[in-house]
Amino acid sequence: ASMGRTLVELFYDVISPYSWLGFEVLCRYQHIWNIDLRFRPAFLGGIMQQTGNKPPAMLPKRAEYMLKDIKRMAKYYQVPVHVSGDDFQRIFATSSLAAMRFVTAIDMTNPQYLEPLSREFWMRFWSQHEDISQPENILAVAQQAGLSAELSQKALTMISSPTVKDRLRETTAEAIKYGAFGMPAVVAHYDGEPHLFFGSDRLELLGSVIGEKWLGPVPS
């Protein structure tokens, strides 16, 4: 991190709606707070499996609550997440592995596209309710994010390479090492140590820990 700036890492997966909320708020704050924001695409499935966590929506009462919660959060955070009751089934039926490998490949080759690309994956899955697991969907997302056909094609071939698979595995392992058990996992490196914050509703607390002022989810 550059002089006096706090490095803040965001471990996220595009299958996670709360990750989208946290992502957008941190994007808004990256030029307001004295932070270096670093996007760390990781694999939520791997984190859940390795920590023995269960999808919260598997508990019917919690699924009911989450539906209302995400709707309220979407409105409050001004992020176009659109949820309905069958979305949890849709998450269970969708693997984000190929998408997150693709995002990882772009992070390794053309990181300037990381922010718009990640956003487009969320837009497609959570706003337009379309699939993100098939190669043609992934290419459509990339095109939407402004990547050239050539670049997208190259990244798509990279997703089956050991380099990309290893990088995603390593990033996921790193999140777990910091104590993550779900997503988003935000790690602030402050005062010589890492501070983990879980979820998109702890950013006010993050600000307090690193000595920054919270100005609401949509700071002007």
Side-chain angles (χ1 to χ4, degrees):
S2 43
M3 267 310 284
R5 294 175 82 79
T6 301
L7 171 63
V8 174
E9 299 184 88
L10 169 67
F11 293 89
Y12 68 94
D13 185 318
V14 296
I15 200 100
S16 152
Y18 289 106
S19 287
W20 190 12
L21 299 169
F23 170 89
E24 293 299 355
V25 175
L26 284 171
C27 283
R28 293 165 192 164
Y29 272 93
Q30 65 179 330
H31 304 300
I32 295 174
W33 283 355
N34 195 22
I35 59 173
D36 281 326
L37 179 58
R38 187 170 172 210
F39 299 122
R40 305 297 309 275
F43 181 47
L44 180 57
I47 290 185
M48 301 297 274
Q49 198 189 352
Q50 290 174 54
T51 60
N53 197 354
K54 301 273 182 290
M58 281 174 77
L59 185 70
K61 276 292 173 208
R62 188 149 182 205
E64 241 174 81
Y65 173 78
M66 274 176 78
L67 207 55
K68 295 187 187 116
D69 187 54
I70 292 172
K71 284 179 180 166
R72 288 190 293 222
M73 296 276 276
K75 198 175 166 187
Y76 179 62
Y77 282 66
Q78 293 180 31
V79 176
V81 186
H82 302 303
V83 283
S84 59
D86 53 4
D87 273 336
F88 298 125
Q89 289 318 115
R90 213 161 60 95
I91 300 181
F92 295 149
T94 303
S95 170
S96 62
L97 189 56
M100 292 317 293
R101 280 180 182 160
F102 186 85
V103 173
T104 300
I106 291 302
D107 184 24
M108 294 170 81
T109 54
N110 296 82
Q112 71 273 24
Y113 287 113
L114 198 51
E115 185 184 324
L117 178 68
S118 302
R119 183 174 288 117
E120 284 305 332
F121 269 112
W122 276 304
M123 284 296 283
R124 186 178 175 94
F125 193 76
W126 285 105
S127 271
Q128 295 145 6
H129 287 205
E130 288 184 49
D131 188 64
I132 54 165
S133 63
Q134 300 307 310
E136 61 272 21
N137 309 135
I138 291 173
L139 289 174
V141 167
Q143 187 187 355
Q144 209 50 49
L147 279 77
S148 70
E150 189 189 2
L151 190 56
S152 312
Q153 219 41 74
K154 185 185 160 212
L156 195 61
T157 55
M158 283 176 72
I159 68 175
S160 49
S161 74
T163 344
V164 167
K165 289 179 176 177
D166 288 348
R167 164 68 83 92
L168 183 60
R169 213 176 284 125
E170 282 157 18
T171 307
T172 305
E174 210 175 314
I176 294 169
K177 187 191 82 185
Y178 284 130
F181 50 87
M183 287 192 171
V186 180
V187 178
H189 298 267
Y190 187 72
D191 234 359
E193 55 176 319
H195 302 260
L196 171 75
F197 299 87
F198 170 65
S200 51
D201 55 351
R202 286 292 180 269
L203 301 174
E204 190 172 340
L205 191 58
L206 161 73
S208 159
V209 167
I210 65 172
E212 294 286 349
K213 195 170 167 45
W214 173 249
L215 306 163
V218 191
S220 48

